[in-house]
Amino acid sequence: GETIGLNPLCGYPEDLSRADVEKILKNPMKVERMVTVGPKDSFWAEKGYLRFVAFEAANKGCNPLALRAVFDALTTSTSTVEPDVAQELLDEFRNDTEAFKKELLLSKSKGYAAIGLLLFLLGITAIVSGDALATGWFPEWPGRNNMPMGIVDPGVWTIPNYWI
């Protein structure tokens, strides 16, 4: 059937059927009720937060990909969302599919940015740690001055010649 035209950057294997998304969004059950009748699989579920498993249980028979996409639009890279935020967004999505697509892309972009920032910080940490290791244990090794090529030329196998 007709698709909603998801942005490929959302990372889903295929576009979502408009009928599948609307079936989820037209569910009349309030988020508060989903939380109440849904499984209490975590501390947060017991404290009244909406978990994906409760959202899934409240939407039995729905396309799993569409179900995950709608929930992903409610939260950023997690399976838990505050019930008032979820209800507000679901109410907005019911009337405006474009808002759903926009919020889903924003949610995914935040997740990608977080992963990118984490990788950047881990890279800086690796560089600083590697430099501190080389400076402390083999300060005269010539490969230290032209990293990362120093790993190959003169090569890490030459480090024992410069060990202090």
Side-chain angles (χ1 to χ4, degrees):
E2 182 187 358
T3 59
I4 62 169
L6 271 186
N7 188 314
L9 294 176
C10 289
Y12 291 97
E14 59 189 39
D15 201 353
L16 302 174
S17 162
R18 184 171 298 282
D20 289 342
V21 172
E22 286 178 356
K23 181 179 178 183
I24 296 164
L25 296 177
K26 299 291 183 206
N27 182 347
M29 187 184 294
K30 294 285 185 195
V31 170
E32 190 175 290
R33 180 86 177 128
M34 291 179 193
V35 171
T36 304
V37 299
K40 304 291 185 261
D41 67 327
S42 75
F43 169 79
W44 293 111
E46 291 174 11
K47 292 295 180 189
Y49 284 73
L50 179 63
R51 301 265 303 146
F52 178 72
V53 292
F55 188 70
E56 187 177 41
N59 289 285
K60 285 185 179 12
C62 291
N63 178 333
L65 185 62
L67 196 58
R68 187 73 235 189
V70 171
F71 195 84
D72 285 349
L74 302 177
T75 183
T76 302
S77 302
T78 183
S79 290
T80 307
V81 63
E82 297 105 352
D84 54 334
V85 171
Q87 188 64 61
E88 183 181 318
L89 287 171
L90 284 172
D91 291 342
E92 181 182 350
F93 298 163
R94 280 188 187 104
N95 303 321
D96 187 4
T97 308
E98 289 301 314
F100 161 68
K101 292 177 1 184
K102 178 182 162 204
E103 196 65 37
L104 180 60
L105 181 59
L106 180 64
S107 171
K108 291 296 184 175
S109 298
K110 287 178 186 176
Y112 298 148
I115 290 169
L117 177 63
L118 177 64
L119 291 175
F120 174 74
L121 292 174
L122 287 172
I124 289 174
T125 303
I127 290 168
V128 170
S129 299
D131 186 54
L133 174 83
T135 302
W137 288 97
F138 31 93
E140 295 177 7
W141 179 56
R144 190 175 65 83
N145 298 327
N146 66 337
M147 288 301 270
M149 287 307 297
I151 294 172
V152 178
D153 182 25
V156 292
W157 53 88
T158 65
I159 289 175
N161 301 335
Y162 300 95
W163 205 271
I164 57 169

